[in-house]
Structure formats: C-alpha cells, structure tokens
mmCIF file of all heavy atoms in Angstrom:
data_model
loop_
_atom_site.group_PDB
_atom_site.id
_atom_site.type_symbol
_atom_site.label_atom_id
_atom_site.label_comp_id
_atom_site.label_asym_id
_atom_site.label_seq_id
_atom_site.Cartn_x
_atom_site.Cartn_y
_atom_site.Cartn_z
ATOM 1 N N GLU A 81 -6.029 -6.292 11.412
ATOM 2 C CA GLU A 81 -5.639 -7.615 11.910
ATOM 3 C C GLU A 81 -5.825 -8.723 10.888
ATOM 4 O O GLU A 81 -5.534 -9.885 11.168
ATOM 5 C CB GLU A 81 -6.454 -7.951 13.157
ATOM 6 C CG GLU A 81 -6.238 -6.974 14.312
ATOM 7 C CD GLU A 81 -7.198 -7.218 15.454
ATOM 8 O OE1 GLU A 81 -8.086 -8.084 15.306
ATOM 9 O OE2 GLU A 81 -7.070 -6.554 16.499
ATOM 10 N N VAL A 82 -6.330 -8.377 9.707
ATOM 11 C CA VAL A 82 -6.563 -9.409 8.691
ATOM 12 C C VAL A 82 -5.241 -10.068 8.320
ATOM 13 O O VAL A 82 -4.246 -9.390 8.049
ATOM 14 C CB VAL A 82 -7.226 -8.804 7.434
ATOM 15 C CG1 VAL A 82 -7.249 -9.816 6.299
ATOM 16 C CG2 VAL A 82 -8.644 -8.364 7.770
ATOM 17 N N HIS A 83 -5.224 -11.416 8.334
ATOM 18 C CA HIS A 83 -4.023 -12.167 8.003
ATOM 19 C C HIS A 83 -4.147 -12.776 6.612
ATOM 20 O O HIS A 83 -5.192 -13.311 6.255
ATOM 21 C CB HIS A 83 -3.789 -13.294 9.020
ATOM 22 C CG HIS A 83 -3.301 -12.804 10.354
ATOM 23 N ND1 HIS A 83 -4.093 -12.083 11.213
ATOM 24 C CD2 HIS A 83 -2.093 -12.916 10.961
ATOM 25 C CE1 HIS A 83 -3.406 -11.777 12.307
ATOM 26 N NE2 HIS A 83 -2.184 -12.269 12.170
ATOM 27 N N PHE A 84 -3.071 -12.710 5.858
ATOM 28 C CA PHE A 84 -3.008 -13.332 4.546
ATOM 29 C C PHE A 84 -1.908 -14.396 4.590
ATOM 30 O O PHE A 84 -0.774 -14.109 4.973
ATOM 31 C CB PHE A 84 -2.661 -12.300 3.465
ATOM 32 C CG PHE A 84 -3.713 -11.246 3.283
ATOM 33 C CD1 PHE A 84 -3.678 -10.075 4.026
ATOM 34 C CD2 PHE A 84 -4.748 -11.420 2.381
ATOM 35 C CE1 PHE A 84 -4.643 -9.105 3.873
ATOM 36 C CE2 PHE A 84 -5.719 -10.449 2.227
ATOM 37 C CZ PHE A 84 -5.671 -9.298 2.968
ATOM 38 N N HIS A 85 -2.256 -15.634 4.213
ATOM 39 C CA HIS A 85 -1.227 -16.665 4.130
ATOM 40 C C HIS A 85 -0.160 -16.215 3.149
ATOM 41 O O HIS A 85 -0.449 -15.575 2.136
ATOM 42 C CB HIS A 85 -1.846 -18.001 3.685
ATOM 43 C CG HIS A 85 -2.711 -18.606 4.740
ATOM 44 N ND1 HIS A 85 -2.203 -19.249 5.832
ATOM 45 C CD2 HIS A 85 -4.053 -18.637 4.874
ATOM 46 C CE1 HIS A 85 -3.202 -19.661 6.601
ATOM 47 N NE2 HIS A 85 -4.338 -19.300 6.037
ATOM 48 N N GLU A 86 1.077 -16.595 3.412
ATOM 49 C CA GLU A 86 2.207 -16.021 2.695
ATOM 50 C C GLU A 86 2.108 -16.201 1.181
ATOM 51 O O GLU A 86 2.382 -15.290 0.422
ATOM 52 C CB GLU A 86 3.511 -16.656 3.208
ATOM 53 C CG GLU A 86 4.768 -16.026 2.654
ATOM 54 C CD GLU A 86 4.968 -14.602 3.146
ATOM 55 O OE1 GLU A 86 4.238 -14.174 4.049
ATOM 56 O OE2 GLU A 86 5.840 -13.909 2.615
ATOM 57 N N VAL A 87 1.714 -17.403 0.729
ATOM 58 C CA VAL A 87 1.626 -17.630 -0.710
ATOM 59 C C VAL A 87 0.593 -16.705 -1.327
ATOM 60 O O VAL A 87 0.834 -16.021 -2.321
ATOM 61 C CB VAL A 87 1.280 -19.112 -1.006
ATOM 62 C CG1 VAL A 87 1.015 -19.300 -2.488
ATOM 63 C CG2 VAL A 87 2.413 -20.017 -0.548
ATOM 64 N N GLY A 88 -0.596 -16.656 -0.709
ATOM 65 C CA GLY A 88 -1.642 -15.788 -1.227
ATOM 66 C C GLY A 88 -1.255 -14.335 -1.162
ATOM 67 O O GLY A 88 -1.542 -13.554 -2.064
ATOM 68 N N ALA A 89 -0.560 -13.936 -0.085
ATOM 69 C CA ALA A 89 -0.158 -12.546 0.051
ATOM 70 C C ALA A 89 0.849 -12.162 -1.011
ATOM 71 O O ALA A 89 0.770 -11.077 -1.585
ATOM 72 C CB ALA A 89 0.424 -12.313 1.446
ATOM 73 N N LEU A 90 1.805 -13.032 -1.291
ATOM 74 C CA LEU A 90 2.823 -12.722 -2.294
ATOM 75 C C LEU A 90 2.196 -12.587 -3.672
ATOM 76 O O LEU A 90 2.470 -11.634 -4.407
ATOM 77 C CB LEU A 90 3.901 -13.817 -2.303
ATOM 78 C CG LEU A 90 5.060 -13.628 -3.277
ATOM 79 C CD1 LEU A 90 5.744 -12.288 -3.037
ATOM 80 C CD2 LEU A 90 6.061 -14.761 -3.129
ATOM 81 N N ASP A 91 1.332 -13.519 -4.030
ATOM 82 C CA ASP A 91 0.608 -13.412 -5.300
ATOM 83 C C ASP A 91 -0.180 -12.109 -5.369
ATOM 84 O O ASP A 91 -0.169 -11.401 -6.378
ATOM 85 C CB ASP A 91 -0.368 -14.584 -5.451
ATOM 86 C CG ASP A 91 0.310 -15.821 -6.002
ATOM 87 O OD1 ASP A 91 1.412 -15.692 -6.556
ATOM 88 O OD2 ASP A 91 -0.254 -16.911 -5.862
ATOM 89 N N SER A 92 -0.882 -11.811 -4.270
ATOM 90 C CA SER A 92 -1.739 -10.627 -4.266
ATOM 91 C C SER A 92 -0.938 -9.344 -4.363
ATOM 92 O O SER A 92 -1.341 -8.405 -5.045
ATOM 93 C CB SER A 92 -2.595 -10.610 -2.995
ATOM 94 O OG SER A 92 -3.482 -11.712 -2.966
ATOM 95 N N ILE A 93 0.200 -9.303 -3.673
ATOM 96 C CA ILE A 93 1.041 -8.104 -3.746
ATOM 97 C C ILE A 93 1.488 -7.860 -5.175
ATOM 98 O O ILE A 93 1.397 -6.743 -5.695
ATOM 99 C CB ILE A 93 2.258 -8.231 -2.807
ATOM 100 C CG1 ILE A 93 1.802 -8.184 -1.348
ATOM 101 C CG2 ILE A 93 3.261 -7.118 -3.076
ATOM 102 C CD1 ILE A 93 2.886 -8.537 -0.356
ATOM 103 N N VAL A 94 1.957 -8.915 -5.837
ATOM 104 C CA VAL A 94 2.409 -8.776 -7.228
ATOM 105 C C VAL A 94 1.244 -8.365 -8.124
ATOM 106 O O VAL A 94 1.349 -7.430 -8.928
ATOM 107 C CB VAL A 94 3.040 -10.095 -7.727
ATOM 108 C CG1 VAL A 94 3.337 -10.004 -9.232
ATOM 109 C CG2 VAL A 94 4.320 -10.398 -6.963
ATOM 110 N N ASP A 95 0.096 -9.052 -7.980
ATOM 111 C CA ASP A 95 -1.055 -8.770 -8.841
ATOM 112 C C ASP A 95 -1.605 -7.362 -8.618
ATOM 113 O O ASP A 95 -1.972 -6.661 -9.567
ATOM 114 C CB ASP A 95 -2.166 -9.798 -8.598
ATOM 115 C CG ASP A 95 -1.809 -11.182 -9.107
ATOM 116 O OD1 ASP A 95 -0.869 -11.287 -9.912
ATOM 117 O OD2 ASP A 95 -2.474 -12.151 -8.690
ATOM 118 N N ILE A 96 -1.674 -6.948 -7.352
ATOM 119 C CA ILE A 96 -2.286 -5.663 -7.041
ATOM 120 C C ILE A 96 -1.352 -4.499 -7.361
ATOM 121 O O ILE A 96 -1.762 -3.511 -7.987
ATOM 122 C CB ILE A 96 -2.739 -5.638 -5.565
ATOM 123 C CG1 ILE A 96 -3.962 -6.551 -5.398
ATOM 124 C CG2 ILE A 96 -3.061 -4.223 -5.109
ATOM 125 C CD1 ILE A 96 -4.403 -6.754 -3.966
ATOM 126 N N VAL A 97 -0.098 -4.617 -6.947
ATOM 127 C CA VAL A 97 0.856 -3.566 -7.313
ATOM 128 C C VAL A 97 1.000 -3.499 -8.827
ATOM 129 O O VAL A 97 1.048 -2.418 -9.425
ATOM 130 C CB VAL A 97 2.224 -3.798 -6.643
ATOM 131 C CG1 VAL A 97 3.240 -2.763 -7.131
ATOM 132 C CG2 VAL A 97 2.095 -3.727 -5.134
ATOM 133 N N GLY A 98 1.040 -4.677 -9.476
ATOM 134 C CA GLY A 98 1.130 -4.704 -10.938
ATOM 135 C C GLY A 98 -0.044 -4.021 -11.606
ATOM 136 O O GLY A 98 0.116 -3.266 -12.571
ATOM 137 N N ALA A 99 -1.259 -4.261 -11.090
ATOM 138 C CA ALA A 99 -2.448 -3.618 -11.655
ATOM 139 C C ALA A 99 -2.352 -2.103 -11.532
ATOM 140 O O ALA A 99 -2.666 -1.361 -12.471
ATOM 141 C CB ALA A 99 -3.705 -4.126 -10.940
ATOM 142 N N ALA A 100 -1.896 -1.627 -10.358
ATOM 143 C CA ALA A 100 -1.772 -0.187 -10.135
ATOM 144 C C ALA A 100 -0.708 0.424 -11.044
ATOM 145 O O ALA A 100 -0.892 1.511 -11.604
ATOM 146 C CB ALA A 100 -1.426 0.068 -8.666
ATOM 147 N N VAL A 101 0.403 -0.289 -11.213
ATOM 148 C CA VAL A 101 1.487 0.193 -12.076
ATOM 149 C C VAL A 101 1.017 0.287 -13.528
ATOM 150 O O VAL A 101 1.299 1.260 -14.234
ATOM 151 C CB VAL A 101 2.711 -0.733 -11.954
ATOM 152 C CG1 VAL A 101 3.711 -0.484 -13.085
ATOM 153 C CG2 VAL A 101 3.387 -0.540 -10.602
ATOM 154 N N CYS A 102 0.275 -0.730 -13.981
ATOM 155 C CA CYS A 102 -0.205 -0.734 -15.371
ATOM 156 C C CYS A 102 -1.187 0.401 -15.628
ATOM 157 O O CYS A 102 -1.127 1.060 -16.677
ATOM 158 C CB CYS A 102 -0.848 -2.079 -15.700
ATOM 159 S SG CYS A 102 0.312 -3.457 -15.828
ATOM 160 N N LEU A 103 -2.094 0.640 -14.698
ATOM 161 C CA LEU A 103 -3.042 1.746 -14.865
ATOM 162 C C LEU A 103 -2.316 3.081 -14.905
ATOM 163 O O LEU A 103 -2.665 3.964 -15.695
ATOM 164 C CB LEU A 103 -4.062 1.733 -13.728
ATOM 165 C CG LEU A 103 -5.210 0.722 -13.858
ATOM 166 C CD1 LEU A 103 -6.009 0.655 -12.565
ATOM 167 C CD2 LEU A 103 -6.115 1.074 -15.022
ATOM 168 N N ASP A 104 -1.299 3.221 -14.063
ATOM 169 C CA ASP A 104 -0.512 4.446 -14.069
ATOM 170 C C ASP A 104 0.240 4.599 -15.391
ATOM 171 O O ASP A 104 0.347 5.699 -15.942
ATOM 172 C CB ASP A 104 0.465 4.421 -12.894
ATOM 173 C CG ASP A 104 1.220 5.734 -12.731
ATOM 174 O OD1 ASP A 104 0.600 6.795 -12.892
ATOM 175 O OD2 ASP A 104 2.432 5.695 -12.458
ATOM 176 N N TYR A 105 0.745 3.500 -15.923
ATOM 177 C CA TYR A 105 1.482 3.506 -17.199
ATOM 178 C C TYR A 105 0.575 3.955 -18.348
ATOM 179 O O TYR A 105 0.969 4.740 -19.212
ATOM 180 C CB TYR A 105 2.021 2.109 -17.464
ATOM 181 C CG TYR A 105 2.788 1.943 -18.757
ATOM 182 C CD1 TYR A 105 4.167 2.139 -18.799
ATOM 183 C CD2 TYR A 105 2.138 1.557 -19.927
ATOM 184 C CE1 TYR A 105 4.885 1.966 -19.987
ATOM 185 C CE2 TYR A 105 2.836 1.392 -21.115
ATOM 186 C CZ TYR A 105 4.207 1.599 -21.138
ATOM 187 O OH TYR A 105 4.905 1.432 -22.325
ATOM 188 N N LEU A 106 -0.676 3.466 -18.355
ATOM 189 C CA LEU A 106 -1.595 3.758 -19.459
ATOM 190 C C LEU A 106 -2.184 5.166 -19.379
ATOM 191 O O LEU A 106 -2.633 5.708 -20.390
ATOM 192 C CB LEU A 106 -2.725 2.731 -19.480
ATOM 193 C CG LEU A 106 -2.309 1.298 -19.835
ATOM 194 C CD1 LEU A 106 -3.475 0.337 -19.632
ATOM 195 C CD2 LEU A 106 -1.805 1.217 -21.278
ATOM 196 N N GLN A 107 -2.235 5.759 -18.169
ATOM 197 C CA GLN A 107 -2.723 7.129 -17.994
ATOM 198 C C GLN A 107 -4.112 7.324 -18.625
ATOM 199 O O GLN A 107 -4.337 8.241 -19.416
ATOM 200 C CB GLN A 107 -1.727 8.123 -18.596
ATOM 201 C CG GLN A 107 -0.401 8.211 -17.846
ATOM 202 C CD GLN A 107 -0.530 8.878 -16.493
ATOM 203 O OE1 GLN A 107 -1.038 9.989 -16.376
ATOM 204 N NE2 GLN A 107 -0.090 8.200 -15.447
ATOM 205 N N VAL A 108 -5.044 6.456 -18.272
ATOM 206 C CA VAL A 108 -6.397 6.568 -18.824
ATOM 207 C C VAL A 108 -7.194 7.603 -18.041
ATOM 208 O O VAL A 108 -6.906 7.889 -16.871
ATOM 209 C CB VAL A 108 -7.133 5.208 -18.817
ATOM 210 C CG1 VAL A 108 -6.408 4.222 -19.703
ATOM 211 C CG2 VAL A 108 -7.276 4.661 -17.415
ATOM 212 N N ASP A 109 -8.213 8.170 -18.686
ATOM 213 C CA ASP A 109 -9.068 9.167 -18.048
ATOM 214 C C ASP A 109 -10.264 8.541 -17.343
ATOM 215 O O ASP A 109 -10.803 9.117 -16.392
ATOM 216 C CB ASP A 109 -9.584 10.161 -19.098
ATOM 217 C CG ASP A 109 -8.454 10.887 -19.795
ATOM 218 O OD1 ASP A 109 -7.678 11.565 -19.104
ATOM 219 O OD2 ASP A 109 -8.332 10.763 -21.035
ATOM 220 N N ARG A 110 -10.675 7.374 -17.821
ATOM 221 C CA ARG A 110 -11.885 6.762 -17.285
ATOM 222 C C ARG A 110 -11.788 5.246 -17.420
ATOM 223 O O ARG A 110 -11.334 4.738 -18.445
ATOM 224 C CB ARG A 110 -13.109 7.294 -18.033
ATOM 225 C CG ARG A 110 -14.451 6.938 -17.435
ATOM 226 C CD ARG A 110 -15.521 7.848 -18.016
ATOM 227 N NE ARG A 110 -16.865 7.422 -17.685
ATOM 228 C CZ ARG A 110 -17.464 7.626 -16.518
ATOM 229 N NH1 ARG A 110 -16.815 8.234 -15.567
ATOM 230 N NH2 ARG A 110 -18.697 7.220 -16.304
ATOM 231 N N VAL A 111 -12.212 4.521 -16.369
ATOM 232 C CA VAL A 111 -12.188 3.057 -16.376
ATOM 233 C C VAL A 111 -13.628 2.554 -16.304
ATOM 234 O O VAL A 111 -14.393 2.949 -15.416
ATOM 235 C CB VAL A 111 -11.375 2.498 -15.198
ATOM 236 C CG1 VAL A 111 -11.354 0.971 -15.238
ATOM 237 C CG2 VAL A 111 -9.949 3.039 -15.213
#
C-alpha cells in the first residue's frame, strides 16, 4: 500500500532500473 508521489516515483523508477541495468552491464562478481 506504500504510495509514491508521481514525481518521486518517476525519478526513482529511472534511478533504480538504471542502477540494475548498469550492474548487469558491468557483470561484476562482487560489490
């Protein structure tokens, strides 16, 4: 039920999906 205001949610979606995509791109063994 957690609500995210639209501006914050849009920023967060881009930042979080982007972070996941970058980690997948780099294929690191350990963070």
Side-chain angles (χ1 to χ4, degrees):
E81 299 172 355
V82 170
H83 286 69
F84 295 89
H85 290 283
E86 187 67 10
V87 173
L90 181 56
D91 276 343
S92 296
I93 291 170
V94 172
D95 290 343
I96 288 173
V97 175
V101 165
C102 289
L103 281 171
D104 186 41
Y105 179 90
L106 293 172
Q107 292 290 306
V108 297
D109 300 300
R110 190 163 170 79
V111 181

